[in-house]
């Protein structure tokens, strides 16, 4: 049997294959008004196409737990019930295609309030639907970025509650998997790394203090997320800053703690917390970080990062380097990648009745 098309069980959920779609922001929601942050026709068509293409799990893009937690004013949100109910159309369709619907719960921290990438991605102010970002410390992400407002201990507790509230709404919206976004230099990742966390209270300084906020979020979400449903955590395994940032050693140590707190799978990425860092990008360049977590801990992992080729993806799983692969840009290029991969490997995958002529 093909490793890519072997079902995968987590808690009571069985995902039909190991071809998964990672969160990829579409920057296509309304920035204000009654429909602010809610999914629309673009989001439905985008995710529906990948489900019809045979993708086993689709994790909906970074969805903000609060308005100021959006990366851009055009991001999805799930801080109110109107937004949650608007997701129902998508989650129902995905389930109808045999695809498991997941959602990434996120807060952008100091990297919030930026324009859409195709508009340059620069910080935006109130005249362009923007706001002042918040962070663990008043340290801007890069030159030209505003100094974020340092979160007080009380404000930190508020954000923890926002993650829990978002998880409740995600359940009501029909999602089967929730993922906490702790990667790419957004708020949780900012707390983890000494590069961005300069606090001197119980949330800064030592490794134990820097991981405190992340574990509080995990505990709060796990408390409201059903025991029979999986909870993921996305992490940047390294800041690519040698010893001055979050490291691969930290990730391995943290993975064990995440499992103890109820995380079922670690979605392993890298980078994003420091501007101007040189990253050795190449095919599968992040896979070794996932492989190390899998080899040294008992926490299942998913690998991501320039995984494009069917043989490459199959080999990652067959070699035991990861439990699943997340294909980002490749699924943007080819919504039916899973169906094509199944044909190449002689495996079975869901095909909509309307597409049987393509088999």
């Amino acid at each position: 049997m093909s490793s890519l098309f072997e079902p995968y069980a987590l808690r009571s959920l069985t995902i039909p294959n190991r071809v998964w779609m990672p969160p990829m922001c579409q920057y296509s929601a309304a920035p204000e008004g009654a429909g602010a942050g809610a999914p629309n026709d673009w989001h439905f068509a985008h995710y529906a196409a990948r489900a019809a293409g045979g993708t086993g799990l689709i994790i909906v893009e970074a969805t903000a737990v609060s308005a100021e937690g959006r990366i851009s004013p055009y991001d999805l949100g799930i801080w109110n019930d109107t937004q949650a109910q608007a997701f129902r159309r998508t989650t129902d369709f995905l389930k109808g295609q045999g695809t498991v619907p997941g959602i990434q719960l996120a807060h952008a921290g100091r990297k919030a309030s930026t324009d859409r990438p195709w508009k340059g991605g620069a910080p935006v102010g109130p005249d362009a639907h923007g706001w002042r970002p918040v962070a663990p410390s008043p340290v801007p992400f890069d030159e030209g970025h505003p100094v974020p407002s340092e979160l007080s201990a009380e404000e930190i507790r508020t954000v923890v509650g926002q993650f829990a509230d978002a998880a409740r709404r995600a359940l009501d919206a029909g999602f089967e998997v929730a993922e906490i976004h702790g990667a790419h230099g957004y708020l949780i990742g900012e707390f983890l790394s000494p590069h961005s966390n300069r606090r001197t209270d119980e949330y800064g300084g030592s490794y134990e203090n820097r991981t405190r906020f992340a574990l509080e979020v995990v505990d709060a979400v796990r408390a409201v997320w059903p025991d029979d449903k999986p909870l993921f955590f996305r992490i940047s395994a390294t800041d690519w800053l040698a010893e001055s940032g979050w490291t691969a050693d930290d990730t391995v140590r943290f993975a064990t703690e995440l499992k103890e707190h109820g995380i079922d799978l670690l979605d392993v990425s890298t980078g994003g917390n420091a501007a101007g860092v040189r990253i050795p990008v190449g095919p599968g360049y992040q896979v070794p970080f996932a492989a190390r977590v899998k080899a040294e801990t008992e926490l299942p992992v998913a690998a991501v990062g320039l995984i494009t080729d069917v043989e490459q993806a199959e080999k990652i799983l067959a070699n035991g380097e990861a439990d699943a692969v997340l294909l980002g840009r490749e699924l943007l290029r080819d919504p039916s990648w899973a169906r094509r991969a199944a044909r190449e490997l002689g495996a079975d995958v869901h095909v909509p009745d309307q597409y049987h002529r393509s088999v």
Side-chain angles (χ1 to χ4, degrees):
M1 176 182 288
S2 160
S3 297
L4 269 177
F5 292 95
E6 183 179 354
Y8 189 59
L10 286 169
R11 298 194 182 237
S12 68
L13 181 70
T14 298
I15 303 171
N17 61 55
R18 317 292 181 98
V19 180
W20 298 355
M21 181 176 175
M24 290 179 285
C25 289
Q26 298 297 292
Y27 307 99
S28 297
E32 59 183 15
N40 53 39
D41 286 349
W42 173 265
H43 300 95
F44 176 79
H46 172 64
Y47 293 113
R50 277 79 195 166
T55 307
L57 165 68
I58 290 176
I59 306 176
V60 167
E61 63 202 76
T63 304
V65 301
S66 65
E68 64 273 14
R70 293 171 291 175
I71 301 169
S72 84
Y74 304 94
D75 282 12
L76 290 179
I78 194 162
W79 65 83
N80 64 48
D81 293 341
T82 298
Q83 295 162 338
Q85 290 308 306
F87 280 108
R88 267 289 181 182
R89 179 187 180 199
T90 298
T91 57
D92 287 348
F93 184 88
L94 266 57
K95 291 175 185 177
Q97 298 303 309
T99 295
V100 173
I103 186 170
Q104 185 184 72
L105 306 177
H107 192 299
R110 67 178 182 169
K111 294 175 74 175
S113 190
T114 58
D115 207 346
R116 291 168 288 192
W118 54 87
K119 296 287 188 179
V124 295
D127 59 335
H129 311 294
W131 59 94
R132 185 183 181 188
V134 298
S137 302
V139 180
F141 172 67
D142 196 5
E143 294 182 7
H145 283 244
V147 175
S149 175
E150 180 174 298
L151 289 165
S152 68
E154 182 178 353
E155 288 170 330
I156 289 171
R157 289 190 287 272
T158 296
V159 175
V160 171
Q162 290 170 340
F163 270 94
D165 291 341
R168 290 190 192 95
R169 292 190 182 99
L171 182 65
D172 291 341
F175 289 101
E176 299 288 335
V177 171
E179 176 174 275
I180 296 168
H181 197 353
H184 302 155
Y186 299 120
L187 186 62
I188 293 176
E190 291 164 19
F191 271 90
L192 293 177
S193 175
H195 175 73
S196 46
N197 185 344
R198 314 288 175 82
R199 300 177 74 96
T200 57
D201 63 1
E202 68 269 31
Y203 290 100
S206 68
Y207 166 90
E208 289 79 9
N209 284 355
R210 287 184 284 107
T211 57
R212 188 183 308 277
F213 173 60
L215 293 177
E216 288 180 351
V217 170
V218 170
D219 288 346
V221 172
R222 186 75 267 182
V224 302
W225 194 247
D227 287 341
D228 62 342
K229 295 187 187 299
L231 180 61
F232 294 3
F233 190 97
R234 188 167 223 195
I235 197 163
S236 284
T238 176
D239 286 339
W240 298 102
L241 290 171
E243 298 304 315
S244 64
W246 182 262
T247 69
D249 289 343
D250 293 328
T251 295
V252 171
R253 178 181 178 183
F254 194 44
T256 297
E257 296 172 21
L258 288 170
K259 182 173 176 59
E260 292 171 353
H261 284 256
I263 291 296
D264 299 292
L265 181 139
L266 193 65
D267 176 356
V268 184
S269 188
T270 67
N273 194 39
V277 176
R278 297 187 65 180
I279 299 175
V281 175
Y285 71 104
Q286 296 176 145
V287 173
F289 295 97
R292 182 178 170 191
V293 172
K294 184 169 175 60
E296 298 183 26
T297 77
E298 296 180 356
L299 187 63
V301 299
V304 65
L306 288 184
I307 300 170
T308 59
D309 180 75
V310 174
E311 183 178 351
Q312 173 200 22
E314 177 76 6
K315 186 176 180 181
I316 290 168
L317 299 183
N319 287 349
E321 296 175 281
D323 299 284
V325 291
L326 292 151
L327 285 81
R329 291 174 177 83
E330 197 60 23
L331 275 172
L332 294 182
R333 300 182 189 105
D334 182 2
S336 298
W337 191 95
R339 194 142 33 95
R340 176 169 62 82
R343 284 199 301 268
E344 289 187 24
L345 296 170
D348 293 325
V349 71
H350 170 75
V351 179
D353 292 339
Q354 296 91 333
Y355 289 175
H356 267 253
R357 286 169 291 182
S358 68
V359 175

